[in-house]
Amino acid sequence: MHSSNTGRGTGCGTNPQSTFDEIKEQIVSEEIEREKEEIETDYVKNELPKDSPIKIPQGAKITDQQKAAGYRQIKYQWKRGEYKYTSRWHQRTPNAPVNQGSTWVVERKKDGMGYGPNARPRKIEILVGKNKSGKNIWVDAKTWDKAIKANKKGIATNAQKEMLKNGHWKSKK
């Protein structure tokens, strides 16, 4: 039988050409991948934000990252009033407690003013809970960072551990 009658002609090169079934399989595989990406994009944009401890507005900027330490982080950023908010979902980080799982950390920033009668330093805070009336409780980022460093060194106080626990909101997703 001549090579042109096998369905595997050589075309212009020396490698055999793809068969119709191989091409069809490749197209179907690419379509499945595209559908998976669309489902994941929809989940990150519309479903995951519903799990945040603070309402994420529809137009928030979304940044999806694979961190060098081996975990995924998705940040939602927006501005409301004088504050810039970041609600950050991430998988368990390498130094986190074994049973922690995926969590949210919410941060807000208020720009400072360098001079004049209303001068003030920049303000960065982390959401660590809600009081009895449901109002958010924020802690200064320096206090938060100090607790994280102490925790990594194994010298965190009970109060610092409790603050970190409360500021890492368990994800249900």
Side-chain angles (χ1 to χ4, degrees):
M1 180 186 275
H2 192 269
S3 67
S4 64
N5 296 332
T6 64
R8 297 216 82 357
T10 58
C12 295
T14 57
N15 294 329
Q17 293 178 341
S18 299
T19 66
F20 176 75
D21 286 341
E22 289 170 335
I23 293 170
K24 185 174 149 185
E25 185 178 318
Q26 181 181 352
I27 290 170
V28 168
S29 175
E30 288 172 0
E31 286 177 9
I32 289 170
E33 278 305 307
R34 252 191 316 278
E35 284 179 23
K36 284 181 183 178
E37 287 175 18
E38 287 173 12
I39 290 168
E40 180 66 13
T41 299
D42 181 65
Y43 175 79
V44 167
K45 184 178 179 185
N46 299 310
E47 293 303 315
L48 187 58
K50 294 175 185 175
D51 188 42
S52 173
I54 191 169
K55 184 170 177 19
I56 297 173
Q58 200 53 263
K61 178 184 172 194
I62 302 169
T63 306
D64 192 343
Q65 302 169 308
Q66 186 64 41
K67 302 303 262 181
Y71 65 93
R72 185 177 183 190
Q73 173 175 279
I74 302 172
K75 292 192 301 189
Y76 299 86
Q77 297 172 299
W78 69 98
K79 188 172 182 175
R80 186 184 317 140
E82 293 185 82
Y83 285 97
K84 294 175 186 171
Y85 289 85
T86 301
S87 190
R88 183 171 52 90
W89 175 92
H90 62 81
Q91 294 171 322
R92 183 185 166 273
T93 57
N95 293 322
V98 178
N99 63 343
Q100 184 168 305
S102 297
T103 59
W104 290 89
V105 174
V106 181
E107 176 184 274
R108 70 179 183 179
K109 294 179 185 176
K110 185 177 186 180
D111 289 335
M113 286 194 214
Y115 58 92
N118 299 323
R120 67 172 186 256
R122 184 164 112 164
K123 185 178 189 178
I124 304 172
E125 300 172 311
I126 309 296
L127 180 63
V128 294
K130 295 186 182 279
N131 65 20
K132 291 178 183 175
S133 64
K135 192 168 170 130
N136 291 333
I137 300 170
W138 299 89
V139 68
D140 182 72
K142 289 179 184 174
T143 303
W144 175 262
D145 291 340
K146 188 176 176 183
I148 286 179
K149 287 176 184 164
N151 198 48
K152 284 181 180 178
K153 292 178 182 176
I155 59 170
T157 66
N158 288 337
Q160 287 174 317
K161 289 177 188 176
E162 186 70 17
M163 179 183 57
L164 292 174
K165 180 180 160 214
N166 292 340
H168 284 91
W169 300 76
K170 295 234 184 264
S171 177
K172 298 172 195 99
K173 306 249 180 200

